[in-house]
Amino acid sequence: MTDQLLYATETALNGLMTGVMYSLVALGFVLIYKSSGVFNYAQGVLALFAALTLVGIQKGQVPFAHLINAMTGGHLESFPWQVPALLAILLTAGVMVIMAIIIEKLVLKHLVNQAPIILFMATIGLAYFLEGFGDVMWGADIKTLDVGLPQGINETIETVTGDLFGYGFFIDNLDLVATLVAVLLVTALTIFSQYSKQGRALRAVADDHQAALSVGISLRFIWILVWSIAGFVALVAGIMWGSKSGVQFSLSLIALKALPVLMLGGFTSIPGAIVGGLIIGMGEKLFEFWIGPLIGGATENWFAYVLALIFLVFRPQGLFGEKIIERV
């Protein structure tokens, strides 16, 4: 293989791994959309809040320490203990379930049968509230997240590809773990959505709230369930992105990269979220590799949105989305 082709292959592989990271965020959007027909603007902030909470619990940080110190003149920082990573993850998952219950009780139950735009605006307000709440609760400084996931270049892949091609591919161990986790998540969520009683109820709620209520489906339970699952998916995404680039408030902006992923894969398809992420991830890396030098670079900032725009023109429902036909 020529050097140029080897570099392109390595770039494509790293793009696929990046696409998996995008897909982890997109999965949360799909879950909420399938249960309510609404794009959840707050999903990126849920990932941020989950990562902040995990770091805070793991390091024994006192919640609202800055606020308490400002009001009392004290110097609270953290408790005299640290929590093991696995226990901290379980506690954070519990926090996300509690948050789902609170969101349903204070927001969602008052918006039954409202127009989708009303629910969408509610998620925008929720996103900004959670971002500010996370700031007050855990502080705005950049945090490091370490739950024991392997990081750094995978030496086995580097050695094997070096022996085969004379050039070792640099593939991050964290990206490999994210790929495995994404495969397991998609498999579990697809089985849940297609074959479980709750999964079928979830789809019924998305089609018609009133009709679902009339056949005995508890709308409140379904919303709590799906927001809890979306919170868990956000926690997984927050762990992966936080371990990769640190926990900071720009983490919530990964939601913007999930948009073109959803447009390609379809807003209602769990496997589509993965396929869309892989296409976006590999496409933007290869486009930057081949075309970027010819036009001044920085194509990764806009390539995904241009590709999504093309899909909207020719296939607005995405690759795996359901084609909606309305009779008037």
Side-chain angles (χ1 to χ4, degrees), residues 21 224 236 271 294:
M21 301 286 277
I224 290 174
V236 173
L294 303 177

Side-chain angles (χ1 to χ4, degrees), residues 12-30:
L13 289 174
N14 279 294
L16 290 173
M17 301 298 175
T18 301
V20 168
M21 301 286 277
Y22 294 155
S23 299
L24 286 174
V25 183
L27 281 172
F29 287 103
V30 171

Side-chain angles (χ1 to χ4, degrees), residues 148-196:
L149 295 178
Q151 298 191 45
I153 303 302
N154 187 285
E155 295 181 359
T156 301
I157 294 177
E158 183 183 7
T159 301
V160 170
T161 54
D163 292 340
L164 289 174
F165 308 118
Y167 174 77
F169 291 174
F170 293 162
I171 304 295
D172 197 312
N173 282 310
L174 183 62
D175 291 337
L176 294 174
V177 172
T179 301
L180 176 61
V181 170
V183 170
L184 294 175
L185 266 180
V186 169
T187 303
L189 291 174
T190 300
I191 293 173
F192 169 79
S193 177
Q194 298 296 328
Y195 301 107
S196 71

